Amino acid sequence: MQPVRVGIIGMGGFAGSHHNTIARLEERGVVKLACACDPNPVAFTSEQLSWRFAQRGVKVFDSYRSMLAECHGDLDYVAVPTPIGLHAEMHEAATSYGLPAYLEKPPTLDFQELERMIVADRRAKCSSLVGFNFIVEKSRLALKERLLSGEFGAIRGGTLAALWPRPSGYFARNGWSGRLIIDGKVILDSCFGNTMGHFVHNMLFWTGTGGLYQWAQIAAVRAELYRAHAIEGADTFFVEADLATGCTLRFALSLACAGASTSSETVICEKAILRYSVGGQIEVSWKDGRSERISSCPFDALEENHLEYVRYLRREIARPATTLEDSRPLVVLNDLAHISSGRIHPIPADIVSSLRDEKEQKDYLSVTGMAKIVDNFLSRGIWPSYAGWRRENGEVVTPSDLPRLHNVASAMASAR
Ligand SMILES: NC(=O)c1ccc[n+]([C@@H]2O[C@H](COP(=O)([O-])OP(=O)(O)OC[C@H]3O[C@@H](n4cnc5c(N)ncnc54)[C@H](O)[C@@H]3O)[C@@H](O)[C@H]2O)c1
């Protein structure tokens, strides 16, 4: 079988991980990297040597437009692991040649831009993939099949707790981290829509009851957004979403915390509670007292996602793991969370402390009592505003409020 031909836009940041993965898959004869680009390819001379570009015959460009103009006939797909604000224009350029894209997540966090991307994608020979890491996990797909079969009874609700400590330098690693708007364009980079957006997307996947590859539809949202770090956007999210099916999901996510990174997806059903931690335990606790542990296999997210996408492009499977349309619920939920909160409140300074990790030589901000605030919200619906973090609650908003997004994001950015 001929290798599937790919071009990668970008060489630094996460694009470097795509290059490592594609180089390994090329050794196995699965793919062939035809071309790559970066605005300053010379800055990646040593990486190009280690990726053996010359021996592999990879053509290098300093512009993605010239790369696509010259190489589009030699490509089956284009990987786009670049800043969020560039995804739409790069996807537009690829699809103008009929090429589908492996778009890094999130495709965009602007609901209007997403709709334009969905339309543009119809020009491609195959659907583009959005690289949410964990939909292809075999243990996840098997558990969702059981959920859909009715084994656990109807879904009553769900929660996501995700705490990923990030040092202050994390937000300075590029020009778009933690930004709401850049040059008038809505970006909304945050732990909710981007860094831990995988887990939010997973929750919407569990609760999309219309079929295996279905995501829940959002009916109404309330949210409180906060920040401890000196950034434009929020680093801490408390979000409640009513789904079209009538059940409610609660999300608590923060980058302003200490200790190990944790994430726990919980789905509450009539007969059992499912707890799924990526890379950790998967457990079904039955209401009758039985408990079931499911083992998850070691999982290389990028490799599995490229492999699965190649299978789709070879018509061995019917669809990519996540399409642009499938990303709608996450984008809508993220946008409504910003609209509902209206403002991003600073977390009260007296409970934010600075911690120095001497081993890592990095500084973290940590919020005293975060675990309790998260538990109170997820288990009992008690908002941080009741603990005095802010005076007013978030308003209840619905998809009909989406047109307010640009004004709200601009007001949030200028309020800082
Ligand atoms: N799936 C995951 O687990 C995961 C992990 C990290 C990042 N990401 C995603 O990957 C994407 C990139 O994130 P990042 O932190 O690496 O961003 P980044 O700002 O470091 O940019 C990555 C690369 O994009 C390229 N680039 C930038 N501007 C370009 C241009 N005009 N033309 C061509 N190339 C250009 C550069 O080579 C740059 O090094 C984001 O969507 C992010 O959310 C995904």
Side-chain angles (χ1 to χ4, degrees), residues 140-187:
R140 179 179 303 279
L141 292 166
L143 194 59
K144 177 143 185 205
E145 293 276 20
R146 289 176 66 186
L147 195 55
L148 290 175
S149 76
E151 185 183 344
F152 309 121
I155 298 175
R156 294 289 185 226
T159 64
L160 172 69
L163 301 175
W164 274 15
R166 286 291 177 268
S168 304
Y170 171 80
F171 298 100
R173 73 191 193 287
N174 56 40
W176 56 274
S177 183
R179 297 292 306 275
L180 293 167
I181 293 204
I182 299 177
D183 297 334
K185 187 171 163 46
V186 168
I187 303 293

Side-chain angles (χ1 to χ4, degrees), residues 133-354:
N133 287 350
F134 304 112
I135 299 305
V136 297
E137 280 185 304
K138 295 202 168 31
S139 46
R140 179 179 303 279
L141 292 166
L143 194 59
K144 177 143 185 205
E145 293 276 20
R146 289 176 66 186
L147 195 55
L148 290 175
S149 76
E151 185 183 344
F152 309 121
I155 298 175
R156 294 289 185 226
T159 64
L160 172 69
L163 301 175
W164 274 15
R166 286 291 177 268
S168 304
Y170 171 80
F171 298 100
R173 73 191 193 287
N174 56 40
W176 56 274
S177 183
R179 297 292 306 275
L180 293 167
I181 293 204
I182 299 177
D183 297 334
K185 187 171 163 46
V186 168
I187 303 293
L188 301 187
D189 177 57
S190 75
C191 58
F192 192 88
N194 183 20
T195 321
M196 297 189 278
H198 296 292
F199 308 127
V200 177
H201 186 65
N202 291 347
M203 289 304 301
L204 297 166
F205 176 71
W206 291 126
T207 49
T209 49
L212 184 60
Y213 290 101
Q214 292 288 319
W215 280 257
Q217 301 302 309
I218 307 297
V221 174
R222 268 179 77 197
E224 294 187 0
L225 272 53
Y226 296 95
R227 69 166 78 85
H229 292 92
I231 55 173
E232 192 175 69
D235 56 29
T236 301
F237 282 68
F238 294 86
V239 179
E240 189 175 78
D242 296 334
L243 305 181
T245 52
C247 71
T248 297
L249 301 182
R250 290 201 190 107
F251 303 83
L253 294 85
S254 182
L255 302 177
C257 46
S261 293
T262 57
S263 75
S264 179
E265 301 162 35
T266 303
V267 186
I268 303 155
C269 304
E270 263 173 336
K271 299 182 199 165
I273 296 178
L274 319 183
R275 291 188 186 82
Y276 198 109
S277 288
V278 165
Q281 277 184 2
I282 308 168
E283 193 176 36
V284 179
S285 305
W286 293 87
K287 294 247 163 97
D288 62 13
R290 281 177 298 137
S291 169
E292 189 187 330
R293 287 268 171 95
I294 298 166
S295 54
S296 58
C297 307
F299 175 72
D300 179 329
L302 211 40
E303 186 169 306
E304 293 298 329
N305 274 284
H306 272 286
L307 277 172
E308 175 105 343
Y309 194 47
V310 163
R311 275 182 220 123
Y312 162 68
L313 295 175
R314 285 186 169 146
R315 316 266 175 197
E316 291 167 16
I317 54 174
R319 47 158 295 148
T322 297
T323 63
L324 284 160
E325 281 99 330
D326 302 331
S327 310
R328 249 191 211 123
L330 171 87
V331 174
V332 166
L333 175 56
N334 178 72
D335 291 358
L336 290 179
H338 283 80
I339 296 167
S340 167
S341 188
R343 289 186 56 198
I344 299 171
H345 285 251
I347 297 177
D350 58 331
I351 57 168
V352 179
S353 49
S354 184

Side-chain angles (χ1 to χ4, degrees), residues 9-15 37-39 44 64 80-84 86-87 90 104-106 131 133 173-174 176 194 198 302:
I9 304 184
M11 294 187 191
F14 202 57
C37 66
D38 182 275
F44 294 93
Y64 73 89
V80 184
T82 58
I84 301 171
L86 296 176
H87 290 178
M90 291 172 171
E104 260 311 330
K105 56 77 199 170
N133 287 350
R173 73 191 193 287
N174 56 40
W176 56 274
N194 183 20
H198 296 292
L302 211 40

